[in-house]
Amino acid sequence: MVNKNIKIEVEPIGKRFFLDKPTNGLKAIINTGIGIKTVCGGKGTCGKCRIVILNGKVNPPNEQEQKILGTDEIAHGVRLACQQIFDKDLSIYIPASSLSEEQKLQVAGIEKKVKIDPVCRKYFIKLKKATLEDIKADFNRIKGSLKKKNGIEVDSIDYKVLAEMPSVIRNNSWEITVTVRGKEIILIEGGDKTKNAVGIAIDLGTTKIAVLLVDMLTGKTIDRKGIMNPQISYGEDVMSRINFAIQSRDNTAEIQRVVVDSINKTIHELCNQNNLDESKIIEMTIVGNTAMHHLFLGLPVRQLGLSPFLPLTNEVLNIKAREIGINISQGAYVYMLPPIAGFVGSDHIAMILATDLYKLDGNCLGIDIGTNTEIALKNKSYIASVSAASGPAFEGAHIRYGMRAAPGAIERVIIDSRTYIPSIQTISDRDPIGICGSGILDSIAELLKAGIIDRRGKFKPENSYVYKDSKGVFQYILNPSFYKNGNNKDENISINQKDIVEIQLAKSAIRSGIGILLEDAGIEFKEISKVVIAGAFGSYIDPRNVINIGMFPKISLSKISQVGNAAGVGAKMVLVSLKERKIAEKIAHRTRYLEITVFPDFFNLFAKNTQFPDPDEII
Amino acid sequence: MVNKNIKIEVEPIGKRFFLDKPTNGLKAIINTGIGIKTVCGGKGTCGKCRIVILNGKVNPPNEQEQKILGTDEIAHGVRLACQQIFDKDLSIYIPASSLSEEQKLQVAGIEKKVKIDPVCRKYFIKLKKATLEDIKADFNRIKGSLKKKNGIEVDSIDYKVLAEMPSVIRNNSWEITVTVRGKEIILIEGGDKTKNAVGIAIDLGTTKIAVLLVDMLTGKTIDRKGIMNPQISYGEDVMSRINFAIQSRDNTAEIQRVVVDSINKTIHELCNQNNLDESKIIEMTIVGNTAMHHLFLGLPVRQLGLSPFLPLTNEVLNIKAREIGINISQGAYVYMLPPIAGFVGSDHIAMILATDLYKLDGNCLGIDIGTNTEIALKNKSYIASVSAASGPAFEGAHIRYGMRAAPGAIERVIIDSRTYIPSIQTISDRDPIGICGSGILDSIAELLKAGIIDRRGKFKPENSYVYKDSKGVFQYILNPSFYKNGNNKDENISINQKDIVEIQLAKSAIRSGIGILLEDAGIEFKEISKVVIAGAFGSYIDPRNVINIGMFPKISLSKISQVGNAAGVGAKMVLVSLKERKIAEKIAHRTRYLEITVFPDFFNLFAKNTQFPDPDEII
């Protein structure tokens, strides 16, 4: 039945995979190394391997798919990968939440087709050699040629590039390639280098830094690398780092240096692996939250740690890379989109840009879940944003068995509503050693669905699978082996009452943030036509469970899209397109920041939203 | 006869002196400390104390003045200071050539009244304190206030200033002074500092560096200091320094460092002496020859030392002072007017600006005599400039008894045409130890006038005061004591045949440069309506003798003006006035450089011009 010549284009996260020898269903996809996994092992019962058939004929859903998928999902081409038989050319989209752990640490965003219009352009010039009869200065010779041959006006040259210029010209027989940014010459190379124009786009996260090496002529990501933010050694969270930095100028310099060093090292490695020379990189863009933005620049952050939590600037910065210590081309700039507020950074602008949120029809929400969850509401007249202090529970912190999304972390949980016995999936299929964010979210949703906890988040002690630990705290044990072997309950991984409270606080913060945005705009949630969930964590979570724990009000799943690391995509868009850069700057100026804590109703709203939804609202 | 309440304003070099209790004649002026000296000791026979009566009734010339001064001089108000009787309010101008040595090392230029319109402006701002209800970022708060209260648009802030901003704002009760350059904030200070706006203007010479501390609100020079260029230890002349610099990048860096360090030290001293803080200096301008320009910036100079002697750029540079290592305000710029060619630097543009040459009526010449003598011809349609390789003879080099203008140097010489005995004046009235430039020029002119040498520069051995030295070279001895005591002639200071040849070569280079400019413009020298002689050396020389040795063709002395260090004045003008800066940039673009060595007739012209004028042309 399988046509061996079939070609399947898979677009998981901006990368295209071609299957030369596809086999059927899930296995075909697994064979590509993309790594879709399921909890049910291909039986079609867990629903974790949702994909979207982008083109080619979509088969009608089979019985299992009809059971698992919503009608709107089916209508939108959503299917379970494990149930597909690929018999013709297909292009499929794999939501990040359907990806297995290979992609976990470096989840990329869905890339948009952007018209390439980079801020730096290269021109190959053959200069007339100077003689006593023709004694124009080197720079003016270049300037004249650019104007005459290319119609380009330049008025300045980077001072360090000026110093390199005469030897580059004379060592290359007066044939050079000039890189122009605005009206400034920022690089001069020997020979024709117009085919090599490389830039760097960075998403500078509190935990992770994604570094993209980008071909500025094609917009293609040549390579990428995700690294841990080395500032973690000064504190996992933003506030600890701010507290470290404000102790002295030396500390501010030190915490800057480690991140700059780390980025330099990564750029060097990426260049090395791709036979490129970092000293020829002509532009860098960086997005990140406001604290990361300031700490990267060595800017003071005292005012960022104290009410009213002000950034130093809401404007774009164009800074010579060498001034910050970034080792790329001598004349290159680092372009930084502006922070919107103390807790809404330029990564948020990049997300709004990359997800098209700013130009979608109707009322749309864009959400990036993290320790601070930034939420943007775009309506007819404006974009407003809030920051909800959701805390680190979704990152595994403040949760007894919480952990980062590392091998051995429980990432998917299903509780059988008849037997109350859990099925779990761990990262890398290791024995479970803890629970990561998506696993915690699944657990809570499944506990609710199975009726093991009530709307207020309390365990129902009458349930036979609720145990007290040695300290008398109620818990639900997640290890399936426990249910087989009846291990000592204290040695098992569990969700306890305190963990549930943490999640209640976290999800209430987000739900309340949404509530205030809606109230401010004078609209109701049902008027929302689209919810875009961005960010790595947001990509792994099951959107159904997001609704089931009440982080959002009930909404058709077809209106939710998970877009992965949209901030990184945005950073790349402003790297390769001046037009997108202008749009991003407009978004930055247009976005109104709302400080939710000053809303009179905030604390009532917050208390109310700690409740879980009615069991009959669960989908 | 003398009215004790009389007030005399003396404007020697941009400074005004007031005489409270003037006495008569030369003595009155000497008492002010201005220091006019004569060779004749006040007899009115040497003509060295020429002054110009600017306003007040000018007395008719006395007999002595009629003998010494030309009729055109007399008509223009030129008088001999030693013959004046001051009996009413007078304002007088003292040409630099009439000044004694106190001014010698730091001769300033004649300052022009410039409308103050500095590139940096200061604004005092009272900011509204940020609250949770008003969470604009600090920079945007400033930006908004500048726009609303001052109508000023800013779009960026220096990255280092941004880092200082929050503490300056918060330590000063949200009352700050902001310095804006273009659309950039370059300094933020606490409190109202709008009355303090200080800049630095520098004339960076091969030998001397003049550093001016300037009040940018009034245009007043607060203080000035002249220092030796420390690069002298790498070679007295430009070519030796170029040869040192091109040997390695370290050398280039080293020769830059010494001059930057020296300038920093001088700025620090000037600030210290005037209770100012160099970290609040908001702008610096520098002019200098092309090699000094490049070496100051650490730019490569190899191409500057080799034909066709190209500078790297003919454009203005605006460079952050900190990038070069200049210790002024963190965000301040160094503004550098462009070089015109390898041997015509930005000091030449500054001279054309400061002397008004660019807008004078008719055909005018501007000349700055030095090792390279830059000459500009301004006519109806354009300005053209040449560089004449006049060599260091006028600086005392290559002259047997030549020396710099230091105490003990013979600076004025008169030879009695009856007795052939010289009268001399030395700097600081010390015993003579050598001859400086103006003394050499005087000697040659007087030797010609007395008929001791002929038109070809040859000593007439029949003259009883021409001696051979021990090597058989003809010489004329300058020490008057020799003529009294008959000392051993080898121990005396003299001008010998070789010295005369050096001066012939030097003056021919200049005369030929003028010739080529005239030929190129298709005009004759008699069509020249004004000759402006700039530069320290040009200020001390006797213009009469410049004509008498044939450096210029014969011209009415009233058409010659000596303006002192016009380059330094120009540097200051572009510091305090944006309008003058624009004019200077236009001059730079408008000035055509002529390479004299490529003119087919150059070498014939040069040979011809080594001759001295006909004795009957001597004035």
Side-chain angles (χ1 to χ4, degrees), chain A residues 130-141 143 155-160 162-167 170 174 249 256 293 296-300 303 307-317 319-320 322-324 340-341 589 593 595 597-598, chain B residues 130-141 143 155-160 162-167 170 174 249 256 293 296-300 303 307-317 319-320 322-324 340-341 589 593 595 597-598:
Chain A
T131 62
L132 272 175
E133 283 76 26
D134 175 11
I135 45 86
K136 261 206 300 283
D138 287 1
F139 170 65
N140 297 70
R141 202 168 285 274
K143 190 178 163 180
D155 64 9
S156 64
I157 177 164
D158 181 84
Y159 150 62
K160 299 271 183 188
L162 187 63
E164 301 299 326
M165 179 181 62
S167 57
R170 285 163 185 76
W174 300 72
R249 286 197 179 218
Q256 175 191 33
H293 171 281
F296 170 74
L297 292 174
L299 295 177
Q303 75 297 330
S307 177
F309 313 106
L310 293 193
L312 297 191
T313 179
N314 294 142
E315 300 291 327
V316 156
L317 292 177
I319 302 177
K320 285 276 170 189
R322 66 171 179 256
E323 283 238 65
I324 316 165
I340 291 180
H589 282 112
Y593 172 72
E595 172 59 43
T597 59
V598 301
Chain B
T131 62
L132 271 174
E133 283 76 25
D134 175 10
I135 45 88
K136 258 204 303 282
D138 287 2
F139 171 64
N140 298 70
R141 202 168 285 274
K143 189 178 164 180
D155 64 10
S156 65
I157 178 165
D158 181 84
Y159 148 64
K160 300 271 183 186
L162 186 64
E164 301 298 326
M165 179 181 62
S167 57
R170 284 160 187 79
W174 299 72
R249 285 195 180 222
Q256 174 190 35
H293 172 282
F296 171 74
L297 292 174
L299 294 177
Q303 75 297 330
S307 177
F309 312 106
L310 293 193
L312 299 191
T313 177
N314 294 141
E315 300 291 325
V316 155
L317 292 176
I319 303 177
K320 286 277 173 189
R322 66 172 178 257
E323 283 236 66
I324 316 166
I340 291 179
H589 282 112
Y593 171 71
E595 173 59 43
T597 59
V598 302

Side-chain angles (χ1 to χ4, degrees), chain A residues 140-296:
Chain A
N140 297 70
R141 202 168 285 274
I142 294 171
K143 190 178 163 180
S145 173
L146 279 175
K147 191 167 179 184
K148 199 171 154 196
K149 303 246 175 76
N150 308 88
I152 298 298
E153 290 260 12
V154 298
D155 64 9
S156 64
I157 177 164
D158 181 84
Y159 150 62
K160 299 271 183 188
V161 175
L162 187 63
E164 301 299 326
M165 179 181 62
S167 57
V168 175
I169 292 176
R170 285 163 185 76
N171 294 341
N172 291 281
S173 316
W174 300 72
E175 299 195 352
I176 54 168
T177 299
V178 171
T179 304
V180 178
R181 186 188 198 265
K183 294 191 164 192
E184 180 185 0
I185 292 179
I186 60 158
L187 178 64
I188 296 182
E189 299 161 277
D192 184 353
K193 299 288 160 38
T194 52
K195 296 284 168 285
N196 312 318
V198 178
I200 294 279
I202 291 183
D203 175 24
L204 179 54
T206 308
T207 309
K208 279 175 254 163
I209 306 175
V211 181
L212 276 65
L213 189 68
V214 179
D215 184 329
M216 290 179 72
L217 297 174
T218 62
K220 201 179 142 247
T221 301
I222 300 167
D223 204 347
R224 74 179 78 216
K225 197 171 157 73
I227 54 167
M228 294 301 280
N229 186 329
Q231 292 175 335
I232 278 179
S233 56
Y234 304 96
E236 289 228 11
D237 59 301
V238 159
M239 276 301 164
S240 314
R241 293 187 210 171
I242 288 178
N243 284 334
F244 173 79
I246 63 178
Q247 278 161 36
S248 69
R249 286 197 179 218
D250 282 352
N251 282 13
T252 308
E254 183 179 329
I255 204 165
Q256 175 191 33
R257 191 180 42 75
V258 295
V259 72
V260 165
D261 285 353
S262 224
I263 288 174
N264 280 338
K265 195 166 155 267
T266 308
I267 292 172
H268 178 72
E269 286 168 8
L270 281 171
C271 285
N272 244 9
Q273 285 157 19
N274 294 278
N275 283 322
L276 293 167
D277 175 358
E278 63 254 48
S279 75
K280 301 295 183 289
I281 289 175
I282 54 179
E283 181 89 358
M284 179 189 277
T285 56
I286 300 200
V287 302
N289 66 49
T290 307
M292 291 309 108
H293 171 281
H294 280 38
L295 292 174
F296 170 74

Side-chain angles (χ1 to χ4, degrees), chain B residues 496-517:
Chain B
N496 70 19
Q497 191 65 66
K498 280 185 190 159
D499 299 336
I500 294 169
V501 170
E502 287 290 337
I503 297 301
Q504 284 177 287
L505 295 175
K507 77 100 186 175
S508 173
I510 297 170
R511 174 82 178 249
S512 304
I514 294 173
I516 281 171
L517 280 169

Side-chain angles (χ1 to χ4, degrees), chain B residues 408-539:
Chain B
I410 298 172
E411 55 168 350
R412 296 275 174 246
V413 176
I414 294 177
I415 300 174
D416 188 306
S417 51
R418 289 173 299 107
T419 65
Y420 300 121
I421 294 174
S423 306
I424 62 167
Q425 176 185 308
T426 62
I427 297 178
S428 301
D429 277 338
R430 302 260 183 89
D431 284 341
I433 54 170
I435 325 167
C436 69
S438 58
I440 295 166
L441 186 75
D442 279 8
S443 303
I444 306 284
E446 291 287 309
L447 286 171
L448 264 170
K449 204 164 151 187
I452 300 171
I453 58 174
D454 65 16
R455 282 195 67 188
R456 293 168 306 129
K458 301 292 174 214
F459 276 106
K460 299 179 184 162
E462 68 273 18
N463 188 305
S464 59
Y465 285 111
V466 174
Y467 302 91
K468 279 188 181 171
D469 66 13
S470 55
K471 289 175 186 160
V473 177
F474 285 118
Q475 60 177 2
Y476 172 82
I477 291 167
L478 290 174
N479 308 44
S481 61
F482 168 80
Y483 298 89
K484 285 181 197 143
N485 315 327
N487 290 354
N488 179 317
K489 18 185 210 304
D490 277 354
E491 286 174 8
N492 284 287
I493 296 154
S494 65
I495 294 281
N496 70 19
Q497 191 65 66
K498 280 185 190 159
D499 299 336
I500 294 169
V501 170
E502 287 290 337
I503 297 301
Q504 284 177 287
L505 295 175
K507 77 100 186 175
S508 173
I510 297 170
R511 174 82 178 249
S512 304
I514 294 173
I516 281 171
L517 280 169
L518 293 171
E519 187 188 320
D520 177 71
I523 59 174
E524 291 186 40
F525 190 77
K526 63 183 179 196
E527 296 175 67
I528 295 293
S529 53
K530 182 146 191 172
V531 177
V532 177
I533 305 177
F537 172 69
S539 298

Side-chain angles (χ1 to χ4, degrees), chain A residues 588-599:
Chain A
H589 282 112
R590 198 181 140 200
T591 301
R592 284 174 48 213
Y593 172 72
L594 301 181
E595 172 59 43
I596 56 178
T597 59
V598 301
F599 272 71

Side-chain angles (χ1 to χ4, degrees), chain A residues 303-368:
Chain A
Q303 75 297 330
L304 209 52
L306 297 170
S307 177
F309 313 106
L310 293 193
L312 297 191
T313 179
N314 294 142
E315 300 291 327
V316 156
L317 292 177
N318 283 285
I319 302 177
K320 285 276 170 189
R322 66 171 179 256
E323 283 238 65
I324 316 165
I326 290 289
N327 295 337
I328 55 176
S329 128
Q330 283 271 30
Y333 284 85
V334 174
Y335 172 88
M336 299 186 79
L337 279 173
I340 291 180
F343 293 106
V344 180
S346 57
D347 48 352
H348 189 65
I349 299 171
M351 181 273 276
I352 293 172
L353 176 75
T355 58
D356 282 342
L357 194 72
Y358 69 97
K359 61 176 178 187
L360 292 175
D361 288 333
N363 303 305
C364 305
L365 284 170
I367 300 183
D368 188 346

